[in-house]
């Protein structure tokens, strides 16, 4: 059973999402937060698999809450899925840099929402190739060393195959897609991704994608 925490200052939207999630057999809502501070507290209390996080909230916003959750060593198994209206891409980019596993628009369909939660809970990122490339180009592939998640030199820690798989993941390909491209099993691809994440200290696949662009392994 996938556990979900809802963080949004709009009570009506939280109620709608709760109904959609709680009526699904394989997931349940374990709490609701109206601001970022409450989201962090409830996440630490419940350790949900996924936090569905709005960026714009009063007081502590979703960006600060995401950074706090993703930096907490006790919450390494919790994934943050950002809800956005795409009005400010920079906030989304900062959230991904902080450790969010992906993002969804607030006007998504029920199927897309539930699939997104399952995807993130399963350890995958939720980043469409087009949207990711736009974010990387504008905000994440920054030359400022202080904003890099890993230096280009760190890529030398990877095997040639791990770099190849990482590059394909950065282009938006799923494990299944990469496996078909390289004629090896999805399980082997998953192992390569996991090893690359470990070597580069990436919290999840989304951060691995950011590193791929920031390090120059993939060009935006």
């Amino acid at each position: 059973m996938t556990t979900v925490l809802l963080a949004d200052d709009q009570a009506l939207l939280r109620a709608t999402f709760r109904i959609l999630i709680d009526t699904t057999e394989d997931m349940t809502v374990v709490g609701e937060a109206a601001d970022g501070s409450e989201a962090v507290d409830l996440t630490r209390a419940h350790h949900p698999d996924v936090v569905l996080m709005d960026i714009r909230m009063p007081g502590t916003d979703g960006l600060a809450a995401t950074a706090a959750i993703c930096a907490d060593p006790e919450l390494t198994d919790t994934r943050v899925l950002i809800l956005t209206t795409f009005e400010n891409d920079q906030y989304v980019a900062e959230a991904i840099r902080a450790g969010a596993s992906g993002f969804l628009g607030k006007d998504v369909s029920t199927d897309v929402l539930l699939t997104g939660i399952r995807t993130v809970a399963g350890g995958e990122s939720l980043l469409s190739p087009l949207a990711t490339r736009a974010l990387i180009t504008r905000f994440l592939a920054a030359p400022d060393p202080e904003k890099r998640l890993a230096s280009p030199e760190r890529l030398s820690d990877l095997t040639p195959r791990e770099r190849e798989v990482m590059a394909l993941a950065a282009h938006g390909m799923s494990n299944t897609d990469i496996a078909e491209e390289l004629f090896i099993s999805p399980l082997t691809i998953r192992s390569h991704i996991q090893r690359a994440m470990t070597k580069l200290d990436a919290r999840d696949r989304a951060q691995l994608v950011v590193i791929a662009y920031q390090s120059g392994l993939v060009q935006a």
Side-chain angles (χ1 to χ4, degrees), residues 20-44:
L20 294 176
I21 293 169
D22 280 345
T23 54
T24 302
E25 292 184 356
D26 62 337
M27 61 183 70
T28 186
V29 174
V30 295
E32 296 183 25
D35 58 49
S37 178
E38 188 177 14
V40 174
D41 290 343
L42 290 177
T43 300
R44 287 172 175 158

Side-chain angles (χ1 to χ4, degrees), residues 154 157-159 162 193-202:
R154 293 283 301 279
D157 296 337
L158 306 183
T159 66
E162 287 165 356
I193 291 288
Q194 290 293 334
R195 284 198 291 270
M197 286 167 50
T198 299
K199 291 178 180 180
L200 297 175
D201 297 319

Side-chain angles (χ1 to χ4, degrees), residues 3-25:
T3 55
V4 181
L5 177 74
L6 305 175
D8 196 296
D9 62 326
Q10 298 180 47
L12 181 58
L13 190 61
R14 292 200 311 271
T16 300
F17 283 158
R18 175 182 277 277
I19 292 170
L20 294 176
I21 293 169
D22 280 345
T23 54
T24 302
E25 292 184 356

